[in-house]
Amino acid sequence: MKRLFRLQYNAPVTITFALLSLLALLLGRLTDGWTNTYLFSVWRSSLSDILTYPRFFLHVLGHADYNHYIGNMMMILVVGPGLEEKYGSRNLLSAILITALVSGLVYWFLFMGASGIVFMMIVMASLAGMRDGYIPITLILVLVLYLGNEIVDGLVLNDNVSQLTHIIGCVCGAVLGLRRR
């Protein structure tokens, strides 16, 4: 019997990240928020607390609610495969881990929670179009629109979404994207 089609796990880092984030969201619902607080959020906890260290990385899997998850995953699933193709899965995974650690440490020092991989990917994808020292206008537009929106949201909204981490993600994406060139 001839197969009509085959599924391809075409972007392993991107797909795995989306699935792990979905698992974190479901665990949050099943545990009435316990896992969100103790595994998928960063807060000023004691360095003797063994869970402090994994939270520096795991916080990027946590989302405030289903709408926050869907918004981030739609962008990650659109932008991530192209980044994996351009930079490779290992480089994208290292960019995610570096962004997670940087934003986790910033929030640990500032007593807040965190997430921001989508913004790192958006900026890295915009930088992928950079050639011979020319700065793509799309990069400038992305930075102005997203950063401007996050600054405004951070000032006027109280929605349990970490706008500062999104800004940190933009900065990490710019630095990592330029370094990977």
Side-chain angles (χ1 to χ4, degrees), residues 38-56:
Y38 293 101
L39 294 177
F40 305 118
S41 298
V42 176
W43 39 277
R44 183 70 171 194
S45 56
S46 169
L47 290 176
S48 64
D49 177 358
I50 194 71
L51 292 177
T52 297
Y53 303 98
R55 280 193 292 260
F56 287 143

Side-chain angles (χ1 to χ4, degrees), residues 83 86-99 120 124 127-128 172-181:
L83 289 174
K86 170 116 176 117
Y87 296 110
S89 295
R90 281 192 177 158
N91 282 330
L92 181 59
L93 178 60
S94 72
I96 289 170
L97 293 173
I98 289 167
T99 302
M120 175 271 297
M124 278 184 75
L127 282 170
C172 286
V175 170
L176 294 167
L178 288 170
R179 280 197 78 218
R180 301 270 188 248
R181 296 192 47 72

Side-chain angles (χ1 to χ4, degrees), residues 111-150:
F111 315 108
M112 300 176 192
S115 94
I117 299 303
V118 69
F119 291 90
M120 175 271 297
M121 287 184 168
I122 290 168
V123 174
M124 278 184 75
S126 295
L127 282 170
M130 189 172 167
R131 305 212 192 315
D132 298 324
Y134 290 95
I135 298 173
I137 292 174
T138 54
L139 172 63
I140 294 168
L141 291 172
V142 164
L143 288 174
V144 167
L145 293 173
Y146 274 100
L147 286 176
N149 184 62
E150 292 308 304

